[in-house]
Amino acid sequence: MKEKITICWLRRDLRLQDQAALYHALRSGHPVVVLFIFDREILDDLDDRRDRRVEFIHQTVTQLQTALQQHGSDLLVYYDRPLPVWKQLLQQYNIAQVHINHDYEQYAIDRDAAVRTLLESQDIPLYSYKDQCIFDRDEVLSKAGKPYSVFTPYSKAWKAKVNDFYLRSYPTEKYFKQFYQGSFSGVPTLESMNFEALGKPFPAQEIPVATIETYAEKRDYPALEATSRMSIHLRFGTVSIRELARKAQELSPTYLNELIWRDFYFQVLYHFPHINTGHAFRKEYDRIQWRNNEAEFEAWCQGRTGYPLVDAGMRQMNETGFMHNRIRMVTASFLAKHLLIDWRWGEAYFAKKLLDYDFSANNGGWQWAAGSGCDASPYFRVFNPALQAKKFDPKGQYVKKWVPEIDQVDYPDPIVEHETARERAIQTYRRAVKKDSN
Ligand SMILES: Cc1cc2nc3c(=O)[nH]c(=O)nc-3n(C[C@H](O)[C@H](O)[C@H](O)COP(=O)(O)OP(=O)(O)OC[C@H]3O[C@@H](n4cnc5c(N)ncnc54)[C@H](O)[C@@H]3O)c2cc1C
């Protein structure tokens, strides 16, 4: 009879420290095999074979393998679709239990449900835990027991509920001797999966204390690069949200607030799943008559709208996979309002380009900017990109960095005139929204 093992399946929780599923797996009493699947269901759909997110995951997985090897163990890695992998694992191993962390996106929910059904058909329990946020699902509800759709009362309730219990780390290190002892066949190369590395650096995992201390004062100025750049690490779980929230609590209420926005959008996705299927949070916004001009969309994607702050943001993202938060708001608002292009086109473009792409935050950000979201910017508030530039890039340093030809003749004229576009957006939005009250 083969030895019984417990499997901890990593997905967007790529670390061995302070990790809920791993902690519980290590306490199961069986040797723990740590598993990662390069999921072809996701990878085969990526257009860009130099997608840096795949490179980041590959780098991280390789580091995890090395760390596990230092404990006499190894990382079990597959490049396949999850269900066939699990069918194979069931034949190869005597699996006692499987541990995972919750994932709130629709694809992941369906994937986990299918794996659960398969495992349960063999009487193997699949345990799932909250790990990627401080509060999820029904943990923060209004007094009436309803989910919040407005951020400020949500954040108040979040802060009233949080205590050391929720922020405490899972001391996985204490149980590292429980790792399965042995080796597996290694991590496939990026090339064997038909991807290529660019070799550019990723944001550091450590944030200097000074960055958090000065966050409130500097975070809105894109030229200062004064935000934490934790988003890619939070996306793939290479840092622990609990550790970050403790730091934020100690050093900066403003920074903590941003982490709460992240939890807020996760619970919006959980409670209002219609946003998962391409719908506006507020259904009347699905009646907007978008112009959807393809040439204008292309100009926006390429950073050639003639609005320097918009163009700088788009070029920053195209070049680095990152865009500063304020500029995400400006570029998104510009697409949905100035150009009247369906925000879902922009959402999909960001999804392709952002290293930190996360469905809940991206959809939340886009619906906020387009006015259709839960706690959204009102439809008649149309950002003026020139005023935004004056306020948040007063010396033009950010714009100069990304649009060096700004003063030259080949820089395009504005694609639309601001006042005309603003008026057009307000009229179009009003027509859609007003129908509701008829
Ligand atoms: C249109 C639009 C699209 C966006 N798409 C994404 C996305 O795909 N992935 C993503 O992680 N964030 C997204 N954001 C939110 C925000 O812009 C990024 O989280 C932030 O710019 C990442 O940089 P940072 O790590 O330096 O953030 P910091 O300012 O240092 O904030 C710390 C962390 O707080 C969280 N956070 C901050 N602001 C928000 C917010 N508004 N909503 C949710 N979480 C937040 C992030 O996890 C971030 O890493 C989007 C915002 C907009 C307006």
Side-chain angles (χ1 to χ4, degrees), residues 211 215 219 226-232 234-235 241 244 255 257-263 265 322-333 350-351 354 356-369:
T211 304
Y215 182 80
R219 70 183 176 125
T227 64
S228 71
R229 302 297 307 271
M230 278 298 108
S231 51
I232 186 171
L234 286 167
R235 171 64 184 88
I241 182 65
L244 218 50
Y255 189 68
N257 229 42
E258 295 311 304
L259 298 180
I260 301 174
W261 269 106
R262 184 172 169 271
D263 273 15
Y265 282 137
F322 181 78
M323 195 197 297
H324 184 276
N325 179 59
R326 174 145 298 274
I327 316 302
R328 292 189 204 202
M329 296 194 283
V330 172
T331 52
S333 165
F350 272 30
L354 286 173
D356 62 27
Y357 167 62
D358 193 303
F359 179 86
S360 60
N362 193 45
N363 183 277
W366 271 97
Q367 296 222 43
W368 181 89

